[in-house]
Amino acid sequence: MRNVWIIEEQGFDREKIEDNGNKFLLGNGYMGIRGTLGEFGKEQLVAVNLAGIYDQVGDGWREPLNAPNPLYTVLIVDGEKYSILKKEPIAHKLSLNDRQAVLSRETTWEGSKGQIRLCSERFLNMENPHLIYERYEVICDFAGNVTVQTGIDADVWDIYGPHFVNFDYSGEEILSVKASIQENRESVWVFENIEVENKEFLVDCGVEQRDKTVLHHFSYRVQPGENVSFVKQCAVYTTKDREALDGCLAIQIDTIFEQDLLGSYERLKQEHIAWWEEKWKTSEVWIEGDEEAMKALNYSLYHLHSIAPRHSESLSIAARGLSGQTYKGAVFWDTEMFILDFFLYTEPSVAKTLLRYRIDTLEGAKEKAQGYGYDGAFYAWESQEGGYDACSDYNVTDVFTGRPMRTFFKDKQIHISAAIVHGIMRYVNVTGDRSILEEGGIETIVECAIFYYGLLLKKVSGDRYELHDVIGPDEYHERVSNNGYTNRMAKYTFESASMLLSTLAEYPEEIRQRIEKQYAVEELKERFADAAEHIYIPEPDSDGVIDQFDGYRTLEDVSLEEVRSRLLHEKEYWGGAYGVASHTQIIKQADVVTWLTLFADEFSKEILTKNWEYYEPRTEHGSSLSACMYAWLACICGFPDKAYPFFLKSATADLKGGGKQWAGLVYIGGSHPAASGGAYMNAIHGFAGVSFQDGRILVNPKLPSNWKKMRFTLIYQGKKYRIEINGKDASVTEL
Amino acid sequence: MRNVWIIEEQGFDREKIEDNGNKFLLGNGYMGIRGTLGEFGKEQLVAVNLAGIYDQVGDGWREPLNAPNPLYTVLIVDGEKYSILKKEPIAHKLSLNDRQAVLSRETTWEGSKGQIRLCSERFLNMENPHLIYERYEVICDFAGNVTVQTGIDADVWDIYGPHFVNFDYSGEEILSVKASIQENRESVWVFENIEVENKEFLVDCGVEQRDKTVLHHFSYRVQPGENVSFVKQCAVYTTKDREALDGCLAIQIDTIFEQDLLGSYERLKQEHIAWWEEKWKTSEVWIEGDEEAMKALNYSLYHLHSIAPRHSESLSIAARGLSGQTYKGAVFWDTEMFILDFFLYTEPSVAKTLLRYRIDTLEGAKEKAQGYGYDGAFYAWESQEGGYDACSDYNVTDVFTGRPMRTFFKDKQIHISAAIVHGIMRYVNVTGDRSILEEGGIETIVECAIFYYGLLLKKVSGDRYELHDVIGPDEYHERVSNNGYTNRMAKYTFESASMLLSTLAEYPEEIRQRIEKQYAVEELKERFADAAEHIYIPEPDSDGVIDQFDGYRTLEDVSLEEVRSRLLHEKEYWGGAYGVASHTQIIKQADVVTWLTLFADEFSKEILTKNWEYYEPRTEHGSSLSACMYAWLACICGFPDKAYPFFLKSATADLKGGGKQWAGLVYIGGSHPAASGGAYMNAIHGFAGVSFQDGRILVNPKLPSNWKKMRFTLIYQGKKYRIEINGKDASVTEL
């Protein structure tokens, strides 16, 4: 039994270029580099995707930037270009060591005079996240002329671009491209420093700037078995970086680059591996009896580590991580509800960074609320810089008419604000650290409660408080009333805000004064308590099933297969006003099940089970946020083997690829960090059965039948614990 | 100056068959016979359309019946069939005397041996509404063999048929077809009695039943100038008729038919004309200075007379009158809001019959409300027998996918109930007759108020009462909140109910007891008064304009032409979730303007004018309920010349034809009684400026500049008045 840390793809399949870009992604939170090859360009979706910097061109969607690619490399042997796209190799292997976060590539071609073998490997610096390293090597088994062109390709892949204008190319020893973006005055700089080995074989070298590239070329005359190799160190900065202030960066770049790159490469790589080893000490999950699950789960954690914004104190994670521009590089509820737990338990400082982003965008959320005439904080459905909501009122394109469809994600998916509240409260409860509340968390939660309070409706003829005209997690049913998940989360918000306002005395004087200056504390306390008491929470019917929203079960009750068979177009959107699912009970993703999972202790196991059984066959699982909730609830209900396939679906979302790439005519491909986070939650909460009570860790294992043992580390309230599970037994050891 | 009572169409144009069917319609409230020719069949939309009897086949829409056509006649001369569809005539004229309600046809063909002239005329009995008369004559200017096949064609035009099964043909002297319908045990019988002239030229005659016809044939050998002629008397009954109980009708039919038909025809026709003359005494509107308007307006009144259900004490008028099966033969708010006034002022007994239909379908309205979990009475949007709502949840078909579109007319157009209340209250106020209140009107109004009361919402954080998620008169904007028209009409309902409950003492003891037995009167009175006080009525903005609903003016403000230019398909529906109008300020029909017209005295002239000017250019007038409201309000604002084209549009809706024939892929052609009624309201309320105050008739004329004088009769509170207007002067004379 061993944990296999190699993700490998043998042979070259053009159809897999897109999925492999996600699967072999490298990232360090600051940037993500898709798992593409040196000779690839924008058609192959190469991306050096940057976190937290966006641009909008004309009426197109605002999206994050892909920096110019400093890893662009072309190989020419005896005048012939060796690109895998043009020339079929006899062997090809892409290999990611996901314990070490090093991506290697090995390709062998049969040329007219003999074999040519290309090996390269790359990794990103995790401490200084601007830096990228690559080692490149070519060996021929014949005498020939080998030329390598390598440098920066600024002709980047954009969905709603082009974003870059005013390119400034520079090519002396260090190549660089500086480009500014259209919307504002931000710029991006990319640098490349290279050191070649075996300079004695070099017959020619130089730099050329052509089209949107600036490239070195190195030409060698080599004998059989002599290798041509070099090491690159590249750097990416933007004007948003502190280091880049005043544009004086160009002067300092020399000090950043290594002087002896060839000599330092192996040391740098070992330091890199050591950094990751340190992470795995706390985050690795050991599963005995199921290598596949262990590999997939830890691979998911590799992805989460790779996109954690450790370089910032206030930044979040986009729905597609750092795999590209899809979903506008925006932050969704995915972060708080699906991704947060992993960091809470293994690296709470990252969890805090994620939540700080929300606290720091409270003003944006208040502005959004105001724009709709609401009070309080209505967080962005698709949050970009400053909490700007990138979500369009027309977020899907109709495949039949080519027209944008009016969607309501932005204006009706009000449960987003409660997700922020839930995240902050979980941070406080799991870490025991209330600093986040003092640093704006209280205001954030109070403003969210004010928001929901203003939306509460009551029938003049009735007593209960209701929330109408919303969209719950299941986006296929728009503009529904009393969505159970939304109502319960609003109640949670009222409860949290009411509790915080009732315990202000526990905070330092200046915090209490700050809050009392802003709010009529007593009045709000009463209101929120009243709202929490009277908000309508749908209840199970006589058959134990809870309606997802008012009237849900009056909709057509029809099988998923039947609904799928009604599609007239493969890219057709299932939801909206007239989608194939909209007027049926078929839902996109866990909705009631998400609610019941989060608040499982408010229901009997019988009710939980009945709802799981009712909703599961009616769920398309058309979102990566679905399977993990079904898996988790199945564990709570006591059937981990039913949970298992859902867990595996979450854990392998990026490993297997093939997820939904289109919503209507809008491209939505990329990696699935929420599925990765969901898989982790399944493992820890579901299978291991970890929960917390009165400051204690409870472990109630429900392992799938093929899992013998499980072992992992948890940080809880500032202390680190080793959890070991052996069948039905469990132990918790403070480390 | 004369009133021209001839509607004429010269020549034969295949394209006009459909419009002419509406334009030359004959009707007597029991049935409508489309203005088609004897040789036409179902492809030419022949219809003997019956009032108040419906059938549903399978999943198709429930729709009224078209009876077998007893006027089917084929002419054969010298072995050649003379049908206008097959053989081009040299002259053809269709002519309706709309004062006398007699339709004539004259067609001349040039045959190989000479000219053949066919003349026919038909009218419906107004006293015994089962009876139809037709006179038919053929004259050749050569010697030849003339054969006429005439009888009953049971192969009827159906939209969602076929409705008839189990045909029972009988053909001795009197032809008959009896057929039962699919949904229930109702049957329809059609009889034909014929008497031919000049029997001496008859060479052969007989009866033949073939396919779905049963026909006499009469063959003559005629000399030049000798005419072949006959008179038919036909009868239509259904098992819903009292006379047809127990199926014993067949035995009595002899007693119904004339013995000397040829000899009686002219007398019957004169009696028919006299009946109509009597009607015109009270209903004709005389306009000096504008023959076109006078002709169009009285033609509109002809239509209203033709569809008045005088044979019943409890029956209403369908949206397309008796012109066919479109709109499912259902009763809409058109009747109470647009058609009612004509009968209120000229024949109050018909007005009462229309309203009785609503009172008698209160149970249906309560059932509909219950079905949605509501209290009180939610009247059918498309009302059929018993108040059954024929409106489908999928009332429009998408032109791009061919799929039914989920529409919300049925569930969200709650203003329908208030229209009933408005009609009843207007009946009481105009006629002074409170019997209708005692006969169920009070309960109807109270139940409507209970209905609205149950829908009232209030923000927990606010005081005002609101109505959310509705559709107003403008159906292009679905699921809006606080539609001003709807809210004001609900308030009117609360006011009316509250007033009725406060004045119960004025009613006979048994009425009061009946009401008190059913309702907690005091409690309801308080509730309704409170609701009337607190319901939110949108107010004019600083620019004087009132939002049609919450957020209306945040929608794209774009021209009608621009919106029209966005259509991708000519039959495309403008509304729904993604229609070209839905997310713009372009509206289908008068909405705010309807509200302001009905409640004009609650606004200053400046506000009325500003809203007219704001909404008019943003209105498609895609409904026949739109123009008349714009015309009426323009008169109130004091610009009758701006009103004039809208008035004329209403008055000529059926005369000119060419209205919308399609909503998505659903056929909606037919006559437009609401436009006819609207034209009448314009003339009386708008141009003549008639209103009532404290039992007195006020006349404040605002004639268009080309109208010199106006004269008409009004019945008000049981007395008949002659109103004469001469420019700005007016006189009211009790008759």
Side-chain angles (χ1 to χ4, degrees), chain A residues 572-605:
Chain A
E572 178 179 343
Y573 183 54
W574 288 43
Y578 310 118
V580 290
S582 309
H583 302 288
T584 74
Q585 292 185 37
I586 295 302
I587 63 175
K588 183 182 176 192
Q589 65 197 82
D591 191 306
V592 168
V593 162
T594 300
W595 160 28
L596 300 193
T597 304
L598 298 179
F599 297 90
D601 50 1
E602 298 179 358
F603 301 90
S604 71
K605 216 166 260 188

Side-chain angles (χ1 to χ4, degrees), chain A residues 148-300:
Chain A
V148 174
Q149 294 172 340
T150 187
I152 307 171
D153 177 9
D155 191 15
V156 301
W157 170 41
D158 279 328
I159 300 180
Y160 293 99
H163 296 287
F164 293 124
V165 287
N166 304 326
F167 292 90
D168 186 358
Y169 300 92
S170 161
E172 307 204 5
E173 273 201 34
I174 291 175
L175 306 184
S176 76
V177 176
K178 181 179 172 185
S180 49
I181 61 177
Q182 300 213 22
E183 191 184 7
N184 51 35
R185 296 166 65 192
E186 308 290 358
S187 296
V188 172
W189 281 282
V190 176
F191 302 90
E192 186 237 47
N193 183 27
I194 191 165
E195 201 173 328
V196 298
E197 248 178 325
N198 306 331
K199 287 206 183 80
E200 59 273 26
F201 307 125
L202 209 55
V203 290
D204 182 33
C205 70
V207 170
E208 194 178 5
Q209 197 276 310
R210 201 173 47 187
D211 301 331
K212 285 185 174 171
T213 62
V214 54
L215 304 176
H216 295 283
H217 69 268
F218 300 103
S219 294
Y220 298 82
R221 175 74 203 167
V222 293
Q223 296 307 312
E226 282 175 2
N227 71 334
V228 165
S229 68
F230 57 82
V231 170
K232 288 171 69 151
Q233 180 185 24
C234 312
V236 179
Y237 287 89
T238 81
T239 37
K240 289 183 83 79
D241 299 322
R242 257 174 311 176
E243 304 92 325
L245 278 180
D246 308 324
C248 57
L249 179 80
I251 304 163
Q252 300 165 7
I253 195 71
D254 290 341
T255 67
I256 286 157
F257 281 141
E258 295 287 332
Q259 290 310 307
D260 174 18
L261 196 49
L262 281 171
S264 310
Y265 180 78
E266 202 49 41
R267 173 184 55 79
L268 290 163
K269 185 174 158 187
Q270 289 313 317
E271 283 170 13
H272 174 76
I273 293 169
W275 185 96
W276 277 88
E277 280 303 324
E278 195 57 34
K279 287 294 161 205
W280 290 119
K281 272 189 193 163
T282 313
S283 56
E284 182 177 4
V285 179
W286 185 270
I287 299 164
E288 205 170 305
D290 190 346
E291 270 190 38
E292 185 194 0
M294 177 157 65
K295 178 175 175 171
L297 177 56
N298 285 288
Y299 170 76
S300 296

